Amino acid sequence: QQKVQQSPESLIVPEGGMASLNCTSSDRNVDYFWWYRQHSGKSPKMLMSIFSNGEKEEGRFTVHLNKASLHTSLHIRDSQPSDSALYLCAASSGSWQLIFGSGTQLTVMP
Amino acid sequence: VTLLEQNPRWRLVPRGQAVNLRCILKNSQYPWMSWYQQDLQKQLQWLFTLRSPGDKEVKSLPGADYLATRVTDTELRLQVANMSQGRTLYCTCSAVGGDQNTLYFGAGTRLSVL
């Protein structure tokens, strides 16, 4: 069973709009979350990490974490066509491995 | 700045043949090296983490068998055998092991089955 669930599977937003992506872990041992972005034909690149309850903002990107519900969300404001990519959520429960969700495919329409 | 160099970048593998992949670490500040596979549905899955020269591990997953070796402090290898479905193998590195270990990905090796 998938331990990291992402929604929606795909998302289309207009240029300049807000994109909101969700991720939940079913493993109560998870403590740390990352968001990675993967453009078509490229390797994943770390976008943001969050380890504490609350919110973290970097430019147009904001992540939220609720440790009680093991839910994190990524919000992209003023979305640009260059933001079109596969967004991957990853979680760690203290082992060597990161568990990845199946991703949200974001398309920003000009 | 490129932290990892993977080769080859792409390989067509005849069914039943094995292929050897190589990953070179360019920055010794990120010594924890791992292999991840990404299937055709884009699902990423951890395979191995090897820290010390001489470390070896084997694993069988649906669609392929793997043997990973940490050859030196800067070189990681992966042998892929009995592959039945295409996939991309990524080498990763991180500064620490375990929690809070942000991963940095190499460019990947895309394998297709002939």
Side-chain angles (χ1 to χ4, degrees), chain A residues 46-66:
Chain A
M46 203 273 287
L47 198 57
M48 293 185 74
S49 60
I50 187 161
F51 306 145
S52 305
N53 265 330
E55 177 182 300
K56 184 175 171 183
E57 182 178 331
E58 291 180 5
R60 297 184 293 111
F61 300 87
T62 303
V63 289
H64 294 266
L65 176 60
N66 180 326

Side-chain angles (χ1 to χ4, degrees), chain B residues 80-99:
Chain B
V80 185
N82 300 316
M83 192 176 72
S84 60
Q85 298 167 351
R87 63 203 59 215
T88 300
L89 282 305
Y90 288 105
C91 176
T92 71
C93 64
S94 62
V96 296
D99 296 345

